[in-house]
Amino acid sequence: MARKAARSAVRFDLPEVDDFTRPYWDAAAEGRLLLRRCRAESCGAAHHYPREFCPYCWSEDVGWEPATGRATLYTWSVVHRNDLPPFGERVPYIAAVVDLAEGPRMMTEITDCPEPELRIGMPLVVHFRGAGEGGGEGIGGAEGNDGAEGAAVAVPVFRPA
Protein backbone atom coordinates (compact mmCIF):
# COMPACT_ATOMS: atom_id res chain seq x y z
CA MET A 1 0.00 0.00 0.00
CA ALA A 2 2.89 2.39 0.78
CA ARG A 3 4.31 1.73 -2.67
CA LYS A 4 1.02 2.79 -4.31
CA ALA A 5 0.91 6.01 -2.23
CA ALA A 6 4.50 6.85 -3.14
CA ARG A 7 3.77 6.30 -6.82
CA SER A 8 0.68 8.51 -6.73
CA ALA A 9 2.79 11.41 -5.36
CA VAL A 10 4.84 11.58 -8.56
CA ARG A 11 3.70 14.30 -10.95
CA PHE A 12 4.56 13.90 -14.63
CA ASP A 13 3.71 17.52 -15.49
CA LEU A 14 6.62 18.98 -13.53
CA PRO A 15 9.95 19.81 -15.15
CA GLU A 16 13.31 18.85 -13.74
CA VAL A 17 14.70 22.25 -12.83
CA ASP A 18 18.49 22.43 -12.75
CA ASP A 19 21.05 25.24 -12.65
CA PHE A 20 20.99 25.61 -16.44
CA THR A 21 17.19 25.76 -16.88
CA ARG A 22 16.48 27.71 -13.69
CA PRO A 23 16.38 31.12 -15.51
CA TYR A 24 13.72 29.72 -17.87
CA TRP A 25 11.52 28.40 -15.05
CA ASP A 26 12.06 31.48 -12.86
CA ALA A 27 10.92 33.70 -15.76
CA ALA A 28 7.90 31.44 -16.40
CA ALA A 29 6.91 31.76 -12.73
CA GLU A 30 6.92 35.55 -13.32
CA GLY A 31 4.79 35.20 -16.46
CA ARG A 32 7.62 35.66 -18.97
CA LEU A 33 8.69 33.30 -21.76
CA LEU A 34 12.41 33.02 -22.52
CA LEU A 35 14.23 31.58 -25.53
CA ARG A 36 17.86 30.85 -26.24
CA ARG A 37 19.53 32.70 -29.11
CA CYS A 38 22.87 31.98 -30.74
CA ARG A 39 25.29 34.90 -30.50
CA ALA A 40 27.63 33.59 -33.20
CA GLU A 41 28.05 36.27 -35.86
CA SER A 42 27.23 33.92 -38.73
CA CYS A 43 24.13 32.38 -37.06
CA GLY A 44 21.91 34.30 -34.63
CA ALA A 45 19.17 31.64 -34.62
CA ALA A 46 16.69 31.37 -31.75
CA HIS A 47 15.88 27.90 -30.46
CA HIS A 48 13.60 26.14 -28.05
CA TYR A 49 13.86 23.87 -25.93
CA PRO A 50 16.73 25.46 -23.97
CA ARG A 51 20.15 23.99 -24.79
CA GLU A 52 23.66 25.00 -23.84
CA PHE A 53 24.70 25.12 -27.51
CA CYS A 54 23.16 26.25 -30.79
CA PRO A 55 21.49 23.30 -32.55
CA TYR A 56 22.15 24.96 -35.93
CA CYS A 57 25.85 25.89 -35.83
CA TRP A 58 26.93 24.14 -32.59
CA SER A 59 28.27 27.38 -31.08
CA GLU A 60 28.34 27.48 -27.30
CA ASP A 61 27.91 31.27 -27.43
CA VAL A 62 24.17 31.34 -26.69
CA GLY A 63 22.14 33.41 -24.27
CA TRP A 64 18.66 33.92 -22.86
CA GLU A 65 16.32 36.51 -24.36
CA PRO A 66 12.68 37.39 -23.76
CA ALA A 67 10.12 36.10 -26.26
CA THR A 68 7.03 38.07 -27.25
CA GLY A 69 4.70 35.25 -26.22
CA ARG A 70 3.02 35.34 -29.63
CA ALA A 71 2.70 32.20 -31.74
CA THR A 72 0.66 30.56 -34.49
CA LEU A 73 -0.80 27.09 -34.36
CA TYR A 74 1.18 24.57 -36.40
CA THR A 75 -0.66 21.35 -35.47
CA TRP A 76 -2.60 19.75 -32.62
CA SER A 77 -4.10 16.54 -31.32
CA VAL A 78 -6.83 15.97 -28.76
CA VAL A 79 -5.66 13.66 -25.98
CA HIS A 80 -8.54 11.55 -24.69
CA ARG A 81 -6.58 9.21 -22.45
CA ASN A 82 -3.46 9.70 -20.37
CA ASP A 83 -2.79 7.52 -17.36
CA LEU A 84 0.08 9.62 -15.97
CA PRO A 85 -0.83 11.83 -13.01
CA PRO A 86 -2.22 14.47 -13.17
CA PHE A 87 -2.97 14.36 -16.92
CA GLY A 88 -5.80 11.86 -16.48
CA GLU A 89 -7.74 14.51 -14.56
CA ARG A 90 -7.37 16.95 -17.50
CA VAL A 91 -8.59 14.80 -20.40
CA PRO A 92 -9.60 15.68 -22.97
CA TYR A 93 -6.91 18.31 -23.57
CA ILE A 94 -5.24 19.68 -26.67
CA ALA A 95 -1.56 18.89 -27.16
CA ALA A 96 -0.09 21.18 -29.79
CA VAL A 97 2.96 22.41 -31.63
CA VAL A 98 3.15 26.18 -32.16
CA ASP A 99 5.44 28.39 -34.21
CA LEU A 100 6.76 31.11 -31.92
CA ALA A 101 6.99 34.62 -33.45
CA GLU A 102 10.77 34.39 -33.02
CA GLY A 103 10.96 31.28 -35.21
CA PRO A 104 11.29 28.14 -33.08
CA ARG A 105 8.58 25.53 -32.76
CA MET A 106 7.40 24.59 -29.31
CA MET A 107 5.36 21.70 -27.93
CA THR A 108 2.65 22.97 -25.62
CA GLU A 109 -1.02 22.78 -24.75
CA ILE A 110 -3.88 24.89 -26.10
CA THR A 111 -6.35 26.11 -23.49
CA ASP A 112 -9.51 28.21 -23.48
CA CYS A 113 -10.56 27.11 -26.98
CA PRO A 114 -12.85 24.27 -28.05
CA GLU A 115 -11.15 21.93 -30.50
CA PRO A 116 -13.59 22.61 -33.38
CA GLU A 117 -12.54 26.28 -33.33
CA LEU A 118 -8.84 25.54 -33.84
CA ARG A 119 -7.31 26.41 -37.21
CA ILE A 120 -3.77 25.93 -38.46
CA GLY A 121 -2.09 29.33 -38.49
CA MET A 122 -4.44 30.86 -35.91
CA PRO A 123 -2.77 33.47 -33.70
CA LEU A 124 -2.05 32.43 -30.12
CA VAL A 125 -0.66 34.05 -27.00
CA VAL A 126 1.18 32.48 -24.08
CA HIS A 127 -0.11 32.26 -20.55
CA PHE A 128 1.20 30.18 -17.70
CA ARG A 129 -0.30 27.27 -15.80
CA GLY A 130 1.01 27.29 -12.30
CA ALA A 131 2.39 29.98 -10.03
CA GLY A 132 -0.22 32.61 -9.36
CA GLU A 133 -2.89 31.02 -11.58
CA GLY A 134 -6.25 30.19 -10.07
CA GLY A 135 -8.75 27.58 -11.14
CA GLY A 136 -7.14 24.64 -9.39
CA GLU A 137 -4.68 23.95 -12.20
CA GLY A 138 -1.65 25.17 -10.30
CA ILE A 139 1.58 23.26 -10.37
CA GLY A 140 3.62 23.03 -7.21
CA GLY A 141 6.65 21.08 -6.14
CA ALA A 142 6.30 17.34 -5.75
CA GLU A 143 8.44 14.58 -4.43
CA GLY A 144 10.18 12.63 -7.16
CA ASN A 145 10.86 15.53 -9.52
CA ASP A 146 14.46 16.59 -8.98
CA GLY A 147 14.93 20.31 -8.60
CA ALA A 148 11.24 21.15 -8.51
CA GLU A 149 10.67 19.92 -4.96
CA GLY A 150 8.92 22.52 -2.85
CA ALA A 151 9.12 25.17 -5.56
CA ALA A 152 6.26 26.73 -7.49
CA VAL A 153 6.66 26.01 -11.19
CA ALA A 154 4.70 27.60 -14.04
CA VAL A 155 4.44 25.98 -17.45
CA PRO A 156 3.82 27.97 -20.65
CA VAL A 157 0.59 27.07 -22.47
CA PHE A 158 -1.20 28.96 -25.24
CA ARG A 159 -4.70 30.28 -25.96
CA PRO A 160 -6.24 32.21 -28.87
CA ALA A 161 -4.91 35.77 -29.13
Side-chain angles (χ1 to χ4, degrees):
M1 188 66 128
R3 183 176 173 199
K4 183 178 180 183
R7 216 170 42 205
S8 67
V10 174
R11 300 265 313 257
F12 290 90
D13 61 338
L14 295 173
E16 289 188 22
V17 179
D18 58 25
D19 289 339
F20 171 69
T21 62
R22 190 166 312 284
Y24 179 85
W25 297 113
D26 287 350
E30 296 169 0
R32 298 180 299 117
L33 181 62
L34 294 182
L35 295 174
R36 299 283 281 175
R37 184 171 298 275
C38 181
R39 296 178 182 151
E41 201 173 299
S42 61
C43 185
H47 61 272
H48 186 79
Y49 66 92
R51 287 165 264 199
E52 295 186 54
F53 61 91
C54 175
Y56 302 102
C57 74
W58 298 93
S59 171
E60 293 180 5
D61 188 9
V62 294
W64 295 104
E65 73 172 36
T68 63
R70 293 188 326 266
T72 57
L73 185 58
Y74 178 73
T75 191
W76 75 91
S77 180
V78 179
V79 178
H80 293 278
R81 182 175 176 157
N82 189 332
D83 295 331
L84 299 174
F87 295 107
E89 299 164 9
R90 295 182 187 157
V91 294
Y93 63 89
I94 300 166
V97 177
V98 300
D99 287 326
L100 298 174
E102 294 77 10
R105 284 197 172 136
M106 177 179 179
M107 292 182 64
T108 187
E109 181 180 342
I110 304 298
T111 64
D112 306 320
C113 185
E115 192 269 339
E117 294 179 20
L118 294 175
R119 299 289 177 261
I120 290 175
M122 76 184 295
L124 304 168
V125 64
V126 73
H127 69 111
F128 295 85
R129 173 182 285 132
E133 183 183 61
E137 292 186 69
I139 296 174
E143 196 174 316
N145 295 82
D146 294 343
E149 292 182 31
V153 176
V155 175
V157 294
F158 286 77
R159 64 177 127 200

